[in-house]
């Protein structure tokens, strides 16, 4: 329970900094990672530490290829690795599924609303009603729009906690 609250605080801090400055700071991730390893070592011994380290590696591995391909920042990778270190490999893998789904929804929403695609679709539908066909589409710039993926990571982890029965009150 204590580790869950600590994770929620870390996630909140990372979401705020990711939204404000588009960064997830090492000065938040590294101390939390150290606390996580120490906590698991103290509470469960070497078995707990190895469980935490395996979760760290799984979290790191899940986003390493997208990072190497330029699809996301290093802070996002380290945040998912931290979630794995805190909650273990099974949790981080389940979270990753929620993260991918929420991230996709967030990306579609940003593409539609940030780049005027929603307005283009509305004009297109209106033109069809009046019998005129307007050519248009999604611009290249709208598909290259970036967004703070830390929001999706935090949301997916929290959703996974809720789906596993964690209560906030």
């Amino acid at each position: 329970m204590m580790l869950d609250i600590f994770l929620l605080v870390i996630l909140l801090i990372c979401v705020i900094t990711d939204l404000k400055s588009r960064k997830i700071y090492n000065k938040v991730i590294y101390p939390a990672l150290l606390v996580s390893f120490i906590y698991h070592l103290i509470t469960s011994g070497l078995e707990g530490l190895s469980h935490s380290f395996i979760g760290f590696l799984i979290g790191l591995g899940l986003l390493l290829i997208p990072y190497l391909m330029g699809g996301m920042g290093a802070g996002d990778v380290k945040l998912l690795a931290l979630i794995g270190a805190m909650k273990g490999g099974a949790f981080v893998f389940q979270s990753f599924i929620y993260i991918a789904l929420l991230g996709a929804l967030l990306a579609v929403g940003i593409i539609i609303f940030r780049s005027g695609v929603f307005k283009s679709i509305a004009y297109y539908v209106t033109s069809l009603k009046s019998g005129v066909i307007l050519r248009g589409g999604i611009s290249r710039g709208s598909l290259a729009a970036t967004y703070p993926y830390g929001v999706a990571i935090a949301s997916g982890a929290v959703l996974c906690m809720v789906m596993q029965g964690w209560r906030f009150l």
Side-chain angles (χ1 to χ4, degrees):
M1 178 75 164
M2 190 168 74
L3 196 60
D4 290 342
I5 293 169
F6 183 59
L7 176 59
L8 290 173
V9 170
I10 296 298
L11 291 174
L12 180 63
I13 292 168
C14 290
V15 164
I16 291 169
T17 60
D18 203 16
L19 287 171
K20 285 179 79 172
S21 62
R22 302 294 297 271
K23 291 183 185 279
I24 296 173
Y25 291 104
N26 290 339
K27 61 185 173 184
V28 174
I29 298 294
Y30 291 151
L33 190 60
L34 183 62
V35 166
S36 178
F37 286 144
I38 292 170
Y39 174 83
H40 285 290
L41 180 64
I42 290 171
T43 59
S44 303
L46 289 177
E47 184 178 331
L49 181 62
S50 67
H51 175 75
S52 179
F53 189 69
I54 289 170
F56 169 82
L57 291 176
I58 291 171
L60 184 73
L62 286 170
L63 291 182
L64 190 59
I65 291 174
Y67 165 72
L68 293 174
M69 294 177 65
M72 63 184 43
D76 300 324
V77 178
K78 290 181 271 188
L79 179 58
L80 193 62
L82 172 64
I83 293 168
M86 286 186 165
K87 300 288 286 177
F91 179 87
V92 77
F93 190 76
Q94 290 171 344
S95 291
F96 182 71
I97 294 167
Y98 294 121
I99 291 165
L101 293 172
L102 292 171
L105 289 173
L106 188 59
V108 168
I110 287 173
I111 288 171
I112 288 173
F113 291 106
R114 182 187 283 174
S115 62
V117 172
F118 186 72
K119 190 188 300 183
S120 296
I121 292 170
Y123 285 148
Y124 181 75
V125 170
T126 305
S127 72
L128 287 178
K129 286 183 178 179
S130 64
V132 178
I133 297 177
L134 290 177
R135 299 285 177 218
I138 300 174
S139 68
R140 282 198 176 278
S142 67
L143 296 176
T146 62
Y147 64 96
Y149 202 69
V151 174
I153 293 171
S155 300
V158 170
L159 182 59
C160 190
M161 290 171 75
V162 169
M163 296 302 283
Q164 290 183 352
W166 200 85
R167 303 278 184 237
F168 291 96
L169 297 176

